[in-house]
Amino acid sequence: MSRLLKSATALALAGTLAVPATPSQAQGLFAPAIRVNQDVITRYELEQRILFMEILRIPGDAEKEARKTLIDESLKRQILADVDFAIAPEDVQLGIDEFAARGQMSAEEFLKAVGQAGVSAETVRDFVGNQLSWRDYISARFLSRARPTEEEIDRALGQSGGGGLRVLLSEIIIPVTPQTLDQVDQLAQDISGLKSYDAFSSAATQYSASDTKRNGGRMDWLTVSSLPPSLQPVILALNPGDISAPISLPNAVALFQMRGLQEVSGGAPQYASIEYAAYYLPGGRSQETQSLAQSLRQKVDSCDDLYGIAKGQPEQALDRVTAKPSEIPKDISLELAKLDPNEISTSLTRNNGQTMVFLMLCGRAQKLGEDTSRQDIANALTQQRLESFATSLLERLRADAVITSE
C-alpha cells in the first residue's frame, strides 16, 4: 500500500505543479457542482475527492464514485445535523491514524504524501470524519434493535436447529518457500492494505495459488461452523470490505476479505469429527504434476479409490485421517470447508512446495457444540444488522432527496 501510494503521489504531484489558477478559475472551483436538497457540493470538493480516490487507486470511474460518495455523505450530514450528532475532533484524528496505519505510514506521513499530490488535509479529515460519524450514529440509533436475543444466538450456533450464520469470503493463498519468505511477507502486508473488492480480486488472480484464483479469489457461501475453529473469530471480526491481517499456514500465507454475512434457516451444524484423505504427489505445482492430478480426478469417486491409486507405493504416500476440527492443520481445514464429501482440492503443497497434496473430503460427523464463542456470534449478528439498517436508511434518504448536477 505504501509503495502504491507513493508512486501514485508522484504522478499526481506532477500534475499539481502546473500554472497557478487565475482568479476567475479559482472562483469557478467553488461554484456548485452538485446540489443535494439545500446543500451544495462545490467543484473544488468534487475535484479533491476524485484526486483522493485516484491516489488510493480505488478501481472504477473515479468521478462517478466521487459523485456518489459525496452525495451519500451530504445526505448523512443532513440527518446528523437534524439530530445535532457530532464526534469529537480527537476521534477523527484517531481515525486518520488508523487509516494511515493500513498503509504502514504515520498520520503525518500520510497527510504529507497526499498533500504533495494536491489533496488537502481537510479533505482527508472530512472523508474519515464522515465515515466515523455515520458509524457512530447508526450504532446509537439502532444498536438496541440490532442486538440478538439468546435464542437467536442459539440458532446461529446451530444448537436449536433453526438457523445459523454463513459468510461470503474472498481468499488469497500465497505460497511460501524459505527463499521467498521475506518477499511474501511484504506482499501480504501490501495486500492487507488494499481498499476495494476489485483490487483484492485482481491480487488474487495474480498471486493466489488456490483454485479460487480463477474466480478472483471469490469463494461460495460457507457456514461459519465449517471454518477452522481458530479462524472463526478472525472472520467474524471482519466487516464487509475488510481484509484480514496475513495468516500463516504451512507453506503459505492467507488473507481473507469479507464480502457478506447472513443469518440462514436450516441449521448451522457443528462437527464432532472430519474424515479426509491426502495423497501426496511429487513435483509440487509443476505442469506435469497438475496434469497428473487432473487425470486422477477422473479416476477417483471416493476416498476408498485412493487405496488402489497408492497401491505398491510407500505407506506415507497416502494419509487417511479422522480428527476433531480443532486437530486438523489450518490450511487443510480451510480447504475441507469448501468441499462436499468426495470432492477434491489440489491447492495445497508440502515439503516447501515440492509436493502437491491431492486432498479429498471423505465425510463429516455432526455434533452440536460451541467451538465459536457466543460473543463472537453476537457481535457478528449485531454488525450485520447494523449494516442492514444503515443501507436501508440511506436508500430512503436518497429516494426522498432532490439531487441535481450543475
Side-chain angles (χ1 to χ4, degrees), residues 58-370:
I58 294 176
D61 186 319
E63 181 173 354
K64 181 179 179 181
E65 289 302 312
R67 285 180 175 272
K68 180 181 182 301
T69 57
L70 285 170
I71 289 169
D72 287 349
E73 288 174 13
S74 179
L75 293 169
K76 294 172 183 178
R77 284 196 304 271
Q78 290 172 34
I79 195 172
L80 294 178
D82 287 344
V83 297
D84 195 26
F85 188 95
I87 62 172
E90 53 267 28
D91 291 334
V92 177
Q93 184 58 52
L94 288 174
I96 295 174
D97 292 342
E98 180 182 341
F99 192 84
R102 297 175 190 172
Q104 302 177 37
M105 304 173 76
S106 69
E108 292 75 16
E109 290 171 334
F110 179 71
L111 292 175
K112 181 179 179 180
V114 298
Q116 288 175 335
V119 175
S120 71
E122 193 59 35
T123 293
V124 177
R125 291 191 180 94
D126 286 346
F127 176 78
V128 174
N130 287 331
Q131 288 185 324
L132 297 178
S133 297
W134 182 247
R135 181 200 66 187
D136 289 356
Y137 169 71
I138 291 297
S139 180
R141 177 170 175 176
F142 296 111
L143 184 58
S144 62
R145 294 165 58 185
R147 286 194 179 106
T149 65
E150 293 300 314
E151 291 76 13
E152 288 170 330
I153 296 172
D154 285 342
R155 286 200 299 272
L157 283 164
Q159 294 177 339
S160 58
L165 277 180
R166 64 176 187 169
V167 289
L168 191 62
L169 301 172
S170 293
E171 66 172 355
I172 296 176
I173 310 295
I174 308 173
V176 175
T177 65
Q179 294 74 30
T180 63
L181 179 59
D182 291 341
Q183 298 95 309
V184 169
D185 284 346
Q186 183 58 58
L187 174 62
Q189 289 296 333
D190 289 346
I191 291 172
S192 69
L194 296 175
K195 297 292 188 292
S196 72
Y197 296 113
D198 287 344
F200 191 89
S201 180
S202 296
T205 301
Q206 185 172 359
Y207 299 113
S208 183
S210 173
D211 294 340
T212 58
K213 70 177 295 180
R214 295 188 292 270
N215 195 33
R218 290 181 287 272
M219 303 162 67
D220 293 330
W221 285 100
L222 298 172
T223 60
V224 171
S225 60
S226 69
L227 295 170
S230 61
L231 190 58
Q232 292 174 17
V234 175
I235 296 302
L236 289 173
L238 299 176
N239 295 324
D242 285 353
I243 298 171
S244 70
I247 299 168
S248 294
L249 303 174
N251 298 313
V253 172
L255 299 103
F256 300 93
Q257 184 177 47
M258 175 68 79
R259 289 163 41 226
L261 183 145
Q262 287 183 349
E263 296 177 74
V264 293
S265 59
Q270 303 274 330
Y271 299 106
S273 63
I274 297 175
E275 184 181 10
Y276 65 93
Y279 179 49
Y280 301 103
L281 301 174
R285 302 194 62 79
S286 67
Q287 186 60 50
E288 181 180 356
T289 305
Q290 293 189 55
S291 296
L292 174 58
Q294 184 60 35
S295 175
L296 289 178
R297 283 179 183 268
Q298 311 305 317
K299 301 176 181 178
V300 174
D301 295 319
S302 72
C303 290
D304 290 341
D305 294 336
L306 288 172
Y307 289 112
I309 299 294
K311 185 177 181 180
Q313 299 179 31
E315 184 178 345
Q316 58 267 31
L318 175 64
D319 285 334
R320 181 94 175 239
V321 179
T322 300
K324 296 178 181 178
S326 60
E327 297 171 347
I328 299 173
K330 191 183 298 182
D331 59 338
I332 290 179
S333 182
L334 179 61
E335 288 301 308
L336 294 175
K338 309 172 195 175
L339 304 179
D340 290 328
N342 300 319
E343 288 187 338
I344 294 162
S345 165
T346 57
S347 296
L348 304 181
T349 62
R350 290 293 185 265
N351 190 28
N352 291 326
Q354 300 304 304
T355 301
M356 175 183 286
V357 182
F358 189 88
L359 181 68
M360 193 169 195
L361 175 63
C362 307
R364 300 183 177 98
Q366 187 172 325
K367 73 161 188 175
L368 298 179
E370 294 192 19

